Amino acid sequence: MRIERVSDDQFTIFLTFDDLIERGFTKENLWHDATSVQNLFSDMMYEASSELDFELEGELLVQVHLMQAQGMHVIVTQKFENLDWDEDFIEMKVTLDESKELIFSFSDFENIIQVASYLSQIGISGGQVYFMQGTYYMLLDDNDLEEKNKEDVIAIMSEYSSPSIITSYRLLEYGKQIYVSDAVKNIMKSFYTK
């Protein structure tokens, strides 16, 4: 589990699927076992508050993003207004969202070229490629993956890259667009066609 302070009233927690398995969860449990999920969130909140020296009180807005290949990204924001209840009481408003995107980070563009070759072989031609802070990112969304086995795609991508917790919104805002669409098709045309 990785915990990071964002501001005085916000922090993020990132758990890989291995972290969740160690805590006794599967992806399906997160959607169907409310009591266990509540216990997981309570444990995570107290671990984060202890590690970051973050005083938990009042209302916490908890946004949970399940990322297909990466794990769970949790954004916790503390609201201070309307503190008219007992100080020891914490109210959590949790929203769950499942990401429809796969985002992988690459240290070298050569690895993206190799991945494109394998993705092309299984019928994928779409995707986007960005460059940000010395790292390349490939993003595939549901339209790029139409009826393809996502586990196969994740396996191919994992050979040459690492799952990223960067969001597509952050890439759009801060990243340099290399391929806005049809990344695999364009890479194949540029690097594999004679």
Side-chain angles (χ1 to χ4, degrees):
M1 183 167 94
R2 193 167 84 213
I3 302 169
E4 186 178 309
R5 182 185 285 271
V6 176
S7 66
D8 288 342
D9 62 350
Q10 189 176 69
F11 61 91
T12 65
I13 302 170
F14 180 71
L15 290 103
T16 64
F17 283 120
D18 289 341
D19 293 332
L20 290 170
I21 289 167
E22 282 177 22
R23 292 170 182 261
F25 284 91
T26 65
K27 196 171 170 181
E28 287 72 34
N29 291 118
L30 295 172
W31 291 109
H32 303 296
D33 188 351
T35 305
S36 295
V37 170
Q38 190 172 8
N39 292 336
L40 171 67
F41 284 116
S42 294
D43 291 347
M44 286 191 314
M45 295 306 111
Y46 288 108
E47 281 180 51
S49 72
S50 170
E51 186 172 317
L52 298 173
D53 196 27
F54 193 100
E55 187 69 34
L56 288 174
E57 61 185 4
E59 182 179 26
L60 299 179
L61 300 179
V62 181
Q63 295 173 295
V64 181
H65 301 279
L66 289 176
M67 303 165 91
Q68 292 183 32
Q70 299 91 329
M72 179 190 289
H73 190 204
V74 181
I75 302 164
V76 180
T77 307
Q78 185 164 316
K79 292 183 71 174
F80 291 102
E81 62 256 13
N82 302 328
L83 291 180
D84 56 353
W85 53 68
D86 180 2
E87 275 180 24
D88 296 333
F89 179 75
I90 296 172
E91 179 184 347
M92 283 194 287
K93 293 187 177 179
V94 179
T95 58
L96 272 173
D97 176 32
E98 185 169 17
S99 173
K100 304 295 184 194
E101 310 169 325
L102 294 177
I103 302 176
F104 283 80
S105 63
F106 297 78
S107 57
D108 190 337
F109 191 77
E110 182 64 35
N111 292 333
I112 291 180
I113 295 169
Q114 290 177 319
V115 159
S117 159
Y118 290 108
L119 292 177
S120 177
Q121 290 174 27
I122 62 169
I124 293 176
S125 62
Q128 301 171 43
V129 176
Y130 296 85
F131 182 77
M132 186 173 75
Q133 298 177 335
T135 303
Y136 293 94
Y137 296 89
M138 181 178 270
L139 183 154
L140 298 168
D141 63 25
D142 268 357
N143 293 330
D144 300 317
L145 301 170
E146 303 177 80
E147 299 178 19
K148 304 292 186 286
N149 183 332
K150 287 181 184 162
E151 298 304 318
D152 290 345
V153 175
I154 291 168
I156 290 168
M157 299 286 278
S158 296
E159 288 288 319
Y160 298 91
S161 61
S162 301
S164 174
I165 62 167
I166 296 282
T167 63
S168 57
Y169 303 109
R170 189 160 175 205
L171 286 175
L172 281 169
E173 190 166 342
Y174 300 108
K176 178 183 176 187
Q177 292 183 332
I178 297 173
Y179 293 105
V180 180
S181 64
D182 295 326
V184 172
K185 179 179 169 183
N186 289 316
I187 290 168
M188 293 302 293
K189 193 183 300 182
S190 299
F191 295 96
Y192 288 99
T193 307
K194 296 179 182 175

